[in-house]
Amino acid sequence: LLHFFEKRKPVIKSYLHLSHTRINDNSGVYPPLYNLDYSQFDLLLLGGDIANLTSLDDNILSHIDSIFDLGASTTLFTLGNHDYTDTDKLNAYTGRPNYYAYYQNDATFIVLDTQDSLSNIVGLQQDFLNSVLDTISTTRQLFILTHKLIWMDDDGVLTPQIDDISNGIAGDCFYCLNPNNFYSEIYPKLVELENQGINVTCIAGDVGFKVNSFSYETADGIEFYAS
């Protein structure tokens, strides 16, 4: 549960971030999640790997939808490898593509697809991301939502911790945390926005096997979370 305080207003927003809720038999999600009242949160952020094979068929998707209301504007879903069986089917439930932006009050949320190109944000997705980042004007909070902890790669402090933190080990497989272009092509733009007074927060979902949560703040003031 993340409480974010806007810098210029005494406003508190409550966002619930859930990820890796899957159970092996693909019958549903981690049992305690059935008892939560999700309406009490301003946003529900799903960080991926929600079921063992989330988009396998309508039986599991309709079940997941009954819990999290996938088509609600306030449910944001970033896809993990266990959600990727049939993304067209999943998109029919969410009403959204695999990556998109959402705006609420003074906050901008960018949902990215880190399965698309082995952790890299390239091609049309990179064009989309740049178009959003280049046109942000009134936002006070920017959230970058991913499944993989792509900001751990190619960082002197974080990279040695990958295999102790991330579910996906450092490597070149579909579920791995792959070498990527976060620091070379994305991070400099985030630093520019942070220097303009916009709070930049990156939230990832591929943890749970080794740790339940992770946080880190860069020297530039950008915050990384995973849960």
Side-chain angles (χ1 to χ4, degrees):
L1 174 62
L2 305 177
H3 294 284
F4 286 93
F5 298 79
E6 295 190 13
K7 286 181 176 178
R8 306 174 203 175
K9 289 183 179 179
V11 174
I12 300 175
K13 296 293 183 183
S14 294
Y15 309 137
L16 179 64
H17 184 263
L18 299 174
S19 64
H20 221 265
T21 59
R22 66 183 183 86
I23 54 179
N24 287 337
D25 66 5
N26 209 43
S27 62
V29 299
Y30 180 55
L33 298 180
Y34 290 96
N35 301 320
L36 292 183
D37 175 12
Y38 298 100
S39 67
Q40 66 183 299
F41 305 106
D42 293 283
L43 286 177
L44 173 60
L45 313 177
L46 299 178
D49 288 355
I50 300 305
N52 196 42
L53 293 172
T54 308
S55 58
L56 176 66
D57 54 43
D58 285 309
N59 289 330
I60 185 62
L61 263 174
S62 61
H63 181 71
I64 298 300
D65 186 37
S66 71
I67 305 166
F68 299 127
D69 194 4
L70 298 179
S73 62
T74 53
T75 300
L76 308 185
F77 191 166
T78 180
L79 304 185
N81 52 295
H82 285 271
D83 311 306
Y84 226 78
T85 306
D86 188 340
T87 58
D88 289 338
K89 187 182 292 291
L90 179 55
N91 294 344
Y93 278 80
T94 64
R96 289 172 163 138
N98 292 359
Y99 54 87
Y100 53 90
Y102 176 79
Y103 308 91
Q104 185 187 84
N105 302 114
D106 292 326
T108 297
F109 297 80
I110 302 177
V111 175
L112 295 179
D113 178 4
T114 52
Q115 298 300 139
D116 176 65
S117 297
L118 295 181
S119 304
N120 286 275
I121 306 302
V122 296
L124 293 177
Q125 184 172 198
Q126 185 176 23
D127 292 343
F128 155 78
L129 175 61
N130 288 338
S131 70
V132 177
L133 296 180
D134 290 344
T135 56
I136 287 177
S137 57
T138 59
T139 284
R140 294 175 179 175
Q141 301 270 359
L142 171 63
F143 298 92
I144 306 292
L145 307 179
T146 61
H147 176 64
K148 296 183 180 184
L149 288 67
I150 58 174
W151 30 262
M152 293 194 80
D153 175 68
D154 198 25
D155 176 89
V157 174
L158 298 180
T159 301
Q161 303 180 58
I162 288 177
D163 290 349
D164 296 322
I165 303 295
S166 172
N167 289 343
I169 62 173
D172 293 315
C173 63
F174 187 60
Y175 69 85
C176 292
L177 205 172
N178 318 88
N180 64 75
N181 64 333
F182 177 81
Y183 283 103
S184 62
E185 300 186 61
I186 299 172
Y187 187 76
K189 290 179 174 288
L190 302 184
V191 172
E192 289 180 11
L193 294 172
E194 184 75 30
N195 290 338
Q196 293 171 24
I198 298 173
N199 273 1
V200 179
T201 304
C202 300
I203 307 176
D206 198 21
V207 295
F209 283 139
K210 304 160 189 175
V211 299
N212 288 328
S213 62
F214 179 79
S215 63
Y216 178 80
E217 183 172 343
T218 74
D220 301 299
I222 293 174
E223 295 175 295
F224 298 149
Y225 290 95
S227 72

